[in-house]
Amino acid sequence: MGNFGIINWIVLLVYFGAMLLLGSRVGKSNTSTESYFLGSRKIPWWAIGLSVMATQCSAVSFIGMPGWGYTSGLMRLTYTFQFPLVMVILMVTFVPFFYNTKVVSIYEYLEKRFGPKSRTFMSVIFLLSRGLQTAVVLFGPALALSMITGLDPKITILIMGAF
């Protein structure tokens, strides 16, 4: 592993260390479920909407979308262009609605509106779909990380999963 490999490892370790330090320092101010999930209800709805939009962008977005466009043509670009428009619509309709209902999650709203069975059903569907999505979201960056570090992709998946 030459200098380039050592520099990559240093950058990677400093990044992970900074994220752990930042997370532990900021996380200490959370004293309740409401402060953890809702920022003690002090965050404006538009900031929540922007956070939701940013959360939808993963490493797969930056790695996969250009490859998808390269192999399938620029028609795929329409998916990329419509995404911000849809997110803006969600930010100005759904986010303020749920913000004003004073619920912690959409699942709490479903339980209040339709009963506990709907909450359980939608929670299970969400967890299954999120589990499948997480597998894909970990695999793409693991390939890139394995090329940078020289580690086996299975090892980089385990490292990212642990963090």
Side-chain angles (χ1 to χ4, degrees):
M1 186 169 31
N3 285 342
F4 186 71
I6 291 170
I7 291 170
N8 284 335
W9 276 106
I10 291 170
V11 168
L12 211 57
L13 293 174
V14 167
Y15 171 77
F16 280 129
M19 290 297 103
L20 288 172
L21 180 66
L22 179 67
S24 64
R25 292 190 65 133
V26 172
K28 287 181 181 177
S29 64
N30 294 319
T31 55
S32 67
T33 305
E34 188 172 309
S35 70
Y36 178 78
F37 286 111
L38 302 174
S40 300
R41 298 192 187 271
K42 294 178 184 172
I43 303 170
W45 68 265
W46 56 266
I48 295 168
L50 288 173
S51 175
V52 169
M53 186 172 171
T55 301
Q56 296 303 313
C57 293
S58 67
V60 172
S61 304
F62 297 107
I63 294 171
M65 290 302 276
W68 193 27
Y70 178 77
T71 59
S72 304
L74 292 178
M75 182 188 76
R76 303 293 184 184
L77 205 56
T78 59
Y79 292 110
T80 306
F81 286 142
Q82 71 185 6
F83 181 75
L85 176 64
V86 170
M87 291 308 290
V88 167
I89 292 168
L90 291 175
M91 284 171 41
V92 298
T93 56
F94 287 103
V95 173
F97 172 77
F98 286 111
Y99 187 83
N100 292 327
T101 61
K102 306 292 186 212
V103 295
V104 174
S105 71
I106 191 170
Y107 306 104
E108 182 181 354
Y109 175 77
L110 285 170
E111 183 174 22
K112 286 181 178 183
R113 178 88 165 95
F114 302 109
K117 287 183 182 179
S118 67
R119 177 183 184 156
T120 302
F121 178 70
M122 291 308 293
S123 297
V124 168
I125 288 175
F126 173 79
L127 289 173
L128 289 173
S129 66
R130 187 55 61 174
L132 294 170
Q133 181 188 12
T134 300
V136 173
V137 167
L138 281 174
F139 183 69
L143 292 176
L145 192 58
S146 70
M147 292 187 76
I148 292 169
T149 62
L151 296 173
D152 184 81
K154 293 175 188 170
I155 301 297
T156 58
I157 289 171
L158 291 174
I159 291 170
M160 289 189 311
F163 275 97

